[in-house]
Amino acid sequence: METMKISFACLLVLCTTVICQDESIRPRYQKFISQHINAGMSATRCNAVIHERGITKTNSNECKETNTFIRATTNLVKPICSQAGEPYGTMRKSLKPFDIVVCTLKNQGARRPHCDYKGQSRTRKIAINCGQGFPVHFERDIVHFND
C-alpha cells in the first residue's frame, strides 16, 4: 500500500511537471504562430497582415524591420523541431524548403500604425528555435539548400 502511494505521488508530480512545461511554452508558441505562420500569405498583404496581427518590435510600438511569414500550416512547421528538421547550431533547420513571404519595412524608424512594408516571395529552408518540441522563434531563411 505504501509503495502504491509513493508511485501515485511520483506519477502526480511527473504529470504536473509536464503540464506546467506545456503551459510555459504555450504563449511563446502562440506568438510564433501569430508572427510567422500564414498559409494564405501573399507579398502584397504585408501591411494588412502585420497591422491586423499587431506585429511590432518586442515591447514597443516601433515597426519591426523585417518579418517573415511561412506559407504553411503549423502541422508542417512544428515537425521541424523533430523529424522534419536537423540541428543547425543551437537551432533546427528544415529538411525541405518552404514558401515564405519576407516583409521589409520601407519607412525606417516608423511607429505603428504607420508601418509600410514591401513583400517578397521566396522558397527557402528555414532556421527556427524550438522549446519543448514547439517552434518559438523564427531565426532566418537559408539561401543555400546544401548547407
Side-chain angles (χ1 to χ4, degrees), residues 12-30:
L12 187 60
V13 168
L14 180 63
C15 288
T16 304
T17 302
V18 169
I19 290 168
C20 288
Q21 285 177 338
D22 284 348
E23 289 303 316
S24 70
I25 207 70
R26 191 172 311 254
R28 293 177 65 204
Y29 179 50
Q30 290 302 325

Side-chain angles (χ1 to χ4, degrees), residues 101-112:
V101 174
V102 179
C103 301
T104 306
L105 186 64
K106 293 195 294 187
N107 54 341
Q108 295 297 317
R111 300 181 72 78
R112 193 167 187 255

Side-chain angles (χ1 to χ4, degrees), residues 79-95:
I80 296 169
C81 294
S82 55
Q83 76 276 3
E86 63 186 2
Y88 186 71
T90 59
M91 299 166 275
R92 301 282 297 173
K93 177 175 73 169
S94 63
L95 296 177

Side-chain angles (χ1 to χ4, degrees), residues 23 36 55 57 61 76 86 95 105 111 116 120 127 138:
E23 289 303 316
H36 301 293
I55 298 171
K57 283 186 180 178
N61 215 18
L76 294 173
E86 63 186 2
L95 296 177
L105 186 64
R111 300 181 72 78
D116 186 22
Q120 185 179 30
F138 180 90

Side-chain angles (χ1 to χ4, degrees), residues 10 34 41 46 54-55 77-78 84 86 96 114 122 125 143:
C10 289
S34 176
M41 185 65 181
C46 287
I55 298 171
V77 176
K78 185 176 177 279
E86 63 186 2
K96 296 183 179 179
H114 305 290
R122 301 177 181 166
K125 287 187 177 181
V143 177

Side-chain angles (χ1 to χ4, degrees), residues 86 88 93-95 97 123-126 140-147:
E86 63 186 2
Y88 186 71
K93 177 175 73 169
S94 63
L95 296 177
T123 301
R124 302 279 195 271
K125 287 187 177 181
I126 58 174
R140 64 193 203 75
D141 58 278
I142 302 166
V143 177
H144 302 289
F145 294 157
N146 297 325
D147 54 5

